[in-house]
C-alpha cells in the first residue's frame, strides 16, 4: 500500500506540473488576445497555440505511460462540505473557488459531460449510425472537396506571403548609386590636382584649356576655408595666338610735360 501511495503521489505531482504549465500557456494566450490584439499577428498566435499543443501532448504521454497509475480506478469524494469561506481552498484554487458547498460539488467533481452536452452527443452518434453506405460516401466526398478547397486557399496564402517577403527584401537591399573610388579620385583632383593634364596635352587632345582651368579654379575656390582669398595665382593663363605690341605709356601720352 505504501508503494502504491508513493507512485500515486509522484504521478499526481507530474500531472499537476504539466497542468500548471498548460494553465500558464492558456493564460498567456488569453492575455495576448485581450491586451495585445492590435499587434498580435498570425505567426505569434500559431506559436502560442503550438506551445499549448505541446503541453497537452506531454500530459497525454504521462497519462498513457505504462508505469503510470490508471486514475480510472480511483474515485474523488468530498470529505467536508461547508457553505463558509475556506482560505485554504482559495489558496489552492488561486482565489477561483471560495466555498465547497453542496450546489458546487457536482460541477467541480464531474467526471462526465454536462447532461445537455451528453444528450447532444448521443443524438449525433445515433444520427451517424443510421447513415447508409451511399450517404456516408457522399459525406466523404464533400469532406475531400472541402479539404481540396482549403488546400488551394492555403497554397494561395503561402504564395502571396512569399511574394510579399521577397518584395520586402528587395526594398531593403537598395542598389548602389555611387562609387567610392571615383569620389576619392575627384577629391584628389580638386584639392591636390592629382590626375589633371597640362595645357599642352589638353590642346593636343582637343580639350578647351580655358574652360577647364576656369572649372578647376571654381572648384578650388569652393574648397577653400572661409577667410581665404580666391586662388587667382594658381589658375594658369590661357595661351593666346594673337601677337600684341604694347608701347610704353610715356610715348603715347598726348599731354607731354
Amino acid at each position: 500500500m505504501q508503494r502504491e501511495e508513493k507512485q500515486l503521489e509522484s504521478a499526481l505531482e507530474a500531472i499537476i506540473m504539466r497542468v500548471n504549465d498548460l494553465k500558464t500557456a492558456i493564460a498567456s494566450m488569453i492575455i495576448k488576445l485581450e491586451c495585445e490584439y492590435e499587434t498580435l499577428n498570425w505567426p505569434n498566435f500559431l506559436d502560442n497555440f503550438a506551445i499549448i499543443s505541446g503541453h497537452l501532448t506531454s500530459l497525454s504521454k504521462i497519462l498513457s505511460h505504462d508505469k503510470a497509475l490508471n486514475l480510472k480506478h480511483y474515485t474523488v469524494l468530498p470529505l467536508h462540505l461547508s457553505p463558509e469561506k475556506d482560505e485554504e481552498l482559495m489558496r489552492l484554487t488561486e482565489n477561483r473557488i471560495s466555498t465547497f458547498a453542496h450546489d458546487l460539488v457536482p460541477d467541480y467533481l464531474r467526471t462526465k459531460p454536462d447532461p445537455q452536452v451528453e444528450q447532444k452527443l448521443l443524438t449525433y452518434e445515433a444520427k451517424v449510425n443510421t447513415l447508409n453506405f451511399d450517404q456516408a460516401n457522399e459525406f466523404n466526398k464533400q469532406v475531400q472537396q472541402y479539404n481540396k478547397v482549403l488546400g488551394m486557399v492555403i497554397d494561395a496564402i503561402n504564395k502571396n506571403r512569399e511574394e510579399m517577403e521577397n518584395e520586402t527584401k528587395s526594398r531593403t537591399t537598395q542598389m548602389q548609386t555611387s562609387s567610392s573610388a571615383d569620389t576619392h579620385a575627384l577629391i584628389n583632383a580638386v584639392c591636390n590636382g592629382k590626375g589633371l593634364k597640362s595645357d599642352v596635352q589638353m590642346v593636343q587632345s582637343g580639350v578647351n584649356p580655358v574652360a577647364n582651368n576656369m572649372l578647376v579654379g571654381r572648384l578650388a575656390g569652393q574648397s577653400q576655408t572661409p577667410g581665404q582669398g580666391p586662388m587667382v595665382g594658381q589658375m594658369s593663363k590661357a595661351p593666346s595666338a594673337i601677337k600684341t605690341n604694347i608701347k610704353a605709356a610715356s610715348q603715347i601720352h598726348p599731354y607731354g610735360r
Side-chain angles (χ1 to χ4, degrees), residues 37-109:
Y37 59 91
E38 294 181 355
T39 58
L40 183 65
N41 52 19
W42 186 245
N44 292 334
F45 181 83
L46 291 180
D47 292 339
N48 290 299
F49 190 79
I51 293 173
I52 296 174
S53 178
H55 290 317
L56 287 172
T57 304
S58 301
L59 183 60
S60 300
K61 288 182 179 180
I62 293 175
L63 294 175
S64 61
H65 198 270
D66 296 335
K67 296 182 180 180
L69 296 176
N70 193 355
L71 297 179
K72 293 181 180 180
H73 297 164
Y74 296 89
T75 304
V76 179
L77 297 175
L79 300 178
H80 179 69
L81 298 178
S82 176
E84 297 180 358
K85 187 176 181 180
D86 190 352
E87 297 293 338
E88 183 66 17
L89 182 62
M90 293 180 63
R91 185 185 66 81
L92 293 174
T93 59
E94 297 180 356
N95 298 326
R96 290 192 297 270
I97 303 174
S98 60
T99 59
F100 205 59
H102 298 76
D103 56 342
L104 301 177
V105 169
D107 294 331
Y108 294 149
L109 301 182

Side-chain angles (χ1 to χ4, degrees), residues 127-146:
K127 184 177 180 180
V128 170
N129 293 328
T130 56
L131 295 176
N132 54 23
F133 179 78
D134 295 334
Q135 292 177 345
N137 193 16
E138 184 66 23
F139 285 146
N140 189 16
K141 290 181 180 179
Q142 292 179 2
V143 171
Q144 291 179 358
Q145 188 69 20
Y146 183 69

Side-chain angles (χ1 to χ4, degrees), residues 1 51 143 159 203 224:
M1 292 296 294
I51 293 173
V143 171
K159 183 178 179 180
V203 170
Q224 289 181 344

Side-chain angles (χ1 to χ4, degrees), residues 131-171:
L131 295 176
N132 54 23
F133 179 78
D134 295 334
Q135 292 177 345
N137 193 16
E138 184 66 23
F139 285 146
N140 189 16
K141 290 181 180 179
Q142 292 179 2
V143 171
Q144 291 179 358
Q145 188 69 20
Y146 183 69
N147 291 332
K148 184 178 179 180
V149 173
L150 288 179
M152 294 174 61
V153 172
I154 292 173
D155 293 339
I157 292 174
N158 292 331
K159 183 178 179 180
N160 292 331
R161 183 180 65 180
E162 292 177 358
E163 292 178 356
M164 293 175 64
E165 290 177 354
N166 294 331
E167 185 178 357
T168 304
K169 290 180 181 178
S170 63
R171 289 180 180 178

